[in-house]
Amino acid sequence: MVPLPVPGRIWTALALALLPTPALAETLIDNVNGISMERDGRVKRFAAMVIDDNGRIVDTYAKRNQAPSKVDYRVDGRGRTVIPGLIDAHAHVMGIGLGLLSLDLSDTRSLAEAQAKIAEYAAKYPDRAWIVGRGWNQELWGLGRFPTAAELDAVVADRPVWLRRVDGHAGWANSAALRTGNVTAATADPAGGRIERLAGSKAPSGVLVDAAMDLVARHVPAPRAEDRDLALHEAQQLLLANGITAVTDMGTSVDDWMTFRRAGDEGRLRLRIISYADSVPSMLLIGGGGPTVWLYDDRLRLNGVKLYLDGALGSRGAWLKAPYADAPKENGLQLLGGTQLRNLMSRAAMDRFQVAVHAIGDAANAEVLDAIDELSQTYQGDRRWRIEHAQVFDPADIPRLARHGTIASMQPVHQTSDRTMAEARLGPGRLAGAYAWKSVLATGAPLAFGSDAPVEAPNPFAGLAAAISRTDAAGEPFGGWQPQEAISREAALAAYTAGAAYAGFADGRFGRLVAGERADFVVLDRDPLLASPEDMRGIRVLETWIGGAQVYAADAATGGEERTITR
């Protein structure tokens, strides 16, 4: 019989199929106090873990003698604690990096201290056309008011100064910056914004709130591409040193996205970034007809869009159902009308983009829940609607979170930072629904934790300590603030790992230390599930691993010896 001719490409495939398959290298992480978390807080402990050549977990083993003896590499964990890589469910990656490259006022505790720091910075950089920075907080300064342009002019009057408040919802300008933005007594408050005025007049005082910030901010020179690349490098260094292996970037601009892509293309993207565009136009430009695929071995994906419904408590921009206790004529700022909100959410949902809405005040949270109720009738299936911050609820609205599985994406350290300010803004009658983590969990709604960095430091252990104690770094107040809302260590750690992964449609990829998921983990100097709040804040990250590769070592960072891998 004459054999039939076989096309060349089939012969090639057959030949390749007959070649011996090379064995993939496997690494055993041995002798560890291993912890993995499920979203519901269930804990699985293990003593060893095997990782394949693709950086995925093959399996974990409760006892060391259960692990395979024949592996290519072995890492002795020396009995140290290993937990899943921490996931910051709400941060601003480029804000972190650019903040590290500009004037930082977050450590100032008085107006005079801030003025001295601004003057020093201006003297150090005499050639910069603008002085730009962030981090001021008049509440910490004990001013009882916003700072003024005149107080900035007293230290820098020769060029524009523009400084964002710690929460990013207000900006402080000197007179030169106000002139550049043509902000005068005749300038009307823009929709969704407020120009603070000098007492007894319409003259601008120097602080612009929410949408009014754009009057000056649009004139600030944009960072160059090389500035952005450096900022991303600095942000990654800081996050990895804090044990953060993945971060949810809330408010990604097209420039931000291209910065992430450059890093990915050039092999500089070590962190995993779950991205939410800063607007519907940016979402469509980046994603096109839907969320992007996972890029760079699960290191980057655009999930959807972040929308802003209100401002922040500190600048009295959070939208409240009743007036502010310390400003009876103000209810905050509704940045989107009800129809606008629903139209934007619908435009995203129709292409299966995930929707995340910034809502801090009780009126804003109620409005988002109303919109989700309505839109869920049309947009069914696994939508994972998100509310970012979910900071102040009318207690009657909290059970509504579970109705459609709405994710509460919250930041525990905000409670400790905001405590006295929240009491002043809300009064005692509205504190029961503020920073209500346990009440949210009790509904069955998903909970995800983050830092809102650079608003707060990206230290997940400070967040964990706040979540379990409702106290700050000084242990205040004694017994905790609204202590009935404290949660367990297990629930808090789950919200920083598996819960944060679920909130970003990353479940099954990373967030747990189980077979098939990425080997993203952190080596610590103590067990967070056994630590007191004080000890929790002192936890030291010894090593950070992403995809089975070490990306940070504290010993290497301080010039010491790293642990060895044996073959």
Side-chain angles (χ1 to χ4, degrees), residues 71-236:
V71 292
D72 298 277
Y73 302 96
R74 178 180 179 272
V75 177
D76 182 359
R78 299 187 298 207
R80 297 176 300 180
T81 296
V82 168
I83 66 170
L86 294 153
I87 302 172
D88 193 315
H90 183 118
H92 309 277
V93 174
M94 295 307 299
I96 295 169
L98 291 169
L100 292 170
L101 302 180
S102 62
L103 175 59
D104 180 11
L105 297 176
S106 61
D107 60 349
T108 59
R109 292 298 179 266
S110 69
L111 174 61
E113 190 178 336
Q115 288 174 311
K117 196 167 185 179
I118 295 163
E120 180 184 0
Y121 188 88
K124 184 178 179 180
Y125 299 104
D127 297 330
R128 292 192 178 178
W130 282 68
I131 300 297
V132 179
R134 65 174 315 281
W136 59 272
N137 185 349
Q138 81 283 0
E139 297 294 325
L140 293 181
W141 296 348
L143 280 184
R145 59 172 176 82
F146 282 123
T148 66
E151 288 161 336
L152 269 182
D153 295 342
V155 291
V156 182
D158 63 332
R159 50 190 150 153
V161 179
W162 177 242
L163 306 168
R164 288 182 179 265
R165 191 180 184 276
V166 63
D167 58 14
H169 286 271
W172 180 19
N174 69 351
S175 295
L178 292 175
R179 286 193 298 271
T180 301
N182 196 28
V183 182
T184 69
T187 307
D189 288 351
R194 183 174 70 248
I195 300 170
E196 293 292 320
R197 314 281 178 170
L198 293 173
S201 77
K202 291 189 176 181
S205 69
V207 168
L208 310 177
V209 179
D210 286 315
M213 290 191 296
D214 192 52
L215 296 170
V216 169
R218 65 190 176 204
H219 298 283
V220 178
R224 301 166 300 171
E226 52 264 42
D227 297 328
R228 290 181 171 277
D229 291 345
L230 177 58
L232 176 58
H233 170 79
E234 295 297 316
Q236 288 192 95

Side-chain angles (χ1 to χ4, degrees), residues 137-448:
N137 185 349
Q138 81 283 0
E139 297 294 325
L140 293 181
W141 296 348
L143 280 184
R145 59 172 176 82
F146 282 123
T148 66
E151 288 161 336
L152 269 182
D153 295 342
V155 291
V156 182
D158 63 332
R159 50 190 150 153
V161 179
W162 177 242
L163 306 168
R164 288 182 179 265
R165 191 180 184 276
V166 63
D167 58 14
H169 286 271
W172 180 19
N174 69 351
S175 295
L178 292 175
R179 286 193 298 271
T180 301
N182 196 28
V183 182
T184 69
T187 307
D189 288 351
R194 183 174 70 248
I195 300 170
E196 293 292 320
R197 314 281 178 170
L198 293 173
S201 77
K202 291 189 176 181
S205 69
V207 168
L208 310 177
V209 179
D210 286 315
M213 290 191 296
D214 192 52
L215 296 170
V216 169
R218 65 190 176 204
H219 298 283
V220 178
R224 301 166 300 171
E226 52 264 42
D227 297 328
R228 290 181 171 277
D229 291 345
L230 177 58
L232 176 58
H233 170 79
E234 295 297 316
Q236 288 192 95
Q237 292 286 97
L238 179 61
L239 293 168
L240 294 172
N242 278 281
I244 296 167
T245 57
V247 60
T248 301
D249 189 55
M250 277 293 166
T252 307
S253 69
V254 174
D255 285 334
D256 295 343
W257 179 259
M258 294 311 299
T259 304
F260 302 155
R261 289 299 306 265
R262 283 195 300 276
D265 290 345
E266 296 169 11
R268 294 184 285 103
L269 188 61
R270 293 175 294 164
L271 197 68
R272 303 194 192 280
I273 301 178
I274 307 167
S275 173
Y276 293 78
D278 63 0
S279 66
V280 167
S282 294
M283 175 193 79
L284 295 173
L285 189 59
I286 295 168
T292 67
V293 297
W294 284 94
L295 302 165
Y296 314 117
D297 291 328
D298 292 344
R299 276 180 167 77
L300 180 64
R301 186 191 194 223
L302 178 81
N303 270 8
V305 66
K306 179 194 179 185
L307 306 174
Y308 281 92
L309 185 53
D310 68 345
L313 272 179
S315 52
R316 296 191 186 88
W319 180 27
L320 302 179
K321 290 184 175 183
Y324 280 82
D326 58 355
K329 294 182 179 180
E330 297 182 24
N331 281 68
L333 297 169
Q334 182 182 359
L335 304 183
L336 295 170
T339 301
Q340 287 177 300
L341 174 67
R342 287 157 179 78
N343 284 345
L344 292 171
M345 293 175 69
S346 181
R347 179 62 192 89
M350 69 172 58
D351 285 330
R352 302 201 71 84
F353 287 105
Q354 190 183 11
V355 177
V357 184
H358 166 116
I360 288 182
D362 52 7
N365 280 291
E367 180 69 12
V368 178
L369 290 170
D370 287 344
I372 291 171
D373 279 344
E374 296 169 28
L375 294 173
S376 291
Q377 299 176 38
T378 301
Y379 303 108
Q380 300 180 355
D382 188 9
R383 296 291 173 166
R384 302 192 196 180
W385 311 97
R386 295 177 60 133
I387 299 181
E388 301 305 313
H389 307 304
Q391 209 159 298
V392 182
F393 275 101
D394 179 335
D397 287 326
I398 294 176
R400 300 174 59 196
L401 284 163
R403 191 177 299 168
H404 304 290
T406 300
I407 295 160
S409 171
M410 306 176 80
Q411 299 78 45
V413 177
H414 281 337
Q415 179 263 302
T416 56
S417 298
D418 294 356
R419 173 173 57 89
T420 56
M421 179 268 292
E423 290 172 348
R425 297 286 189 272
L426 299 173
R430 280 178 287 186
L431 296 180
Y435 315 88
W437 313 315
K438 190 167 187 177
S439 293
V440 168
L441 277 178
T443 71
L447 180 65

Side-chain angles (χ1 to χ4, degrees), residues 78 80 240-243 522-525 539-545 550-563:
R78 299 187 298 207
R80 297 176 300 180
L240 294 172
N242 278 281
V522 182
V523 182
L524 307 176
D525 68 345
I539 285 178
R540 183 168 176 250
V541 174
L542 303 176
E543 298 173 13
T544 303
W545 293 60
Q550 187 188 89
V551 293
Y552 168 81
D555 288 342
T558 57
E561 294 183 0
E562 296 185 35
R563 50 93 201 103

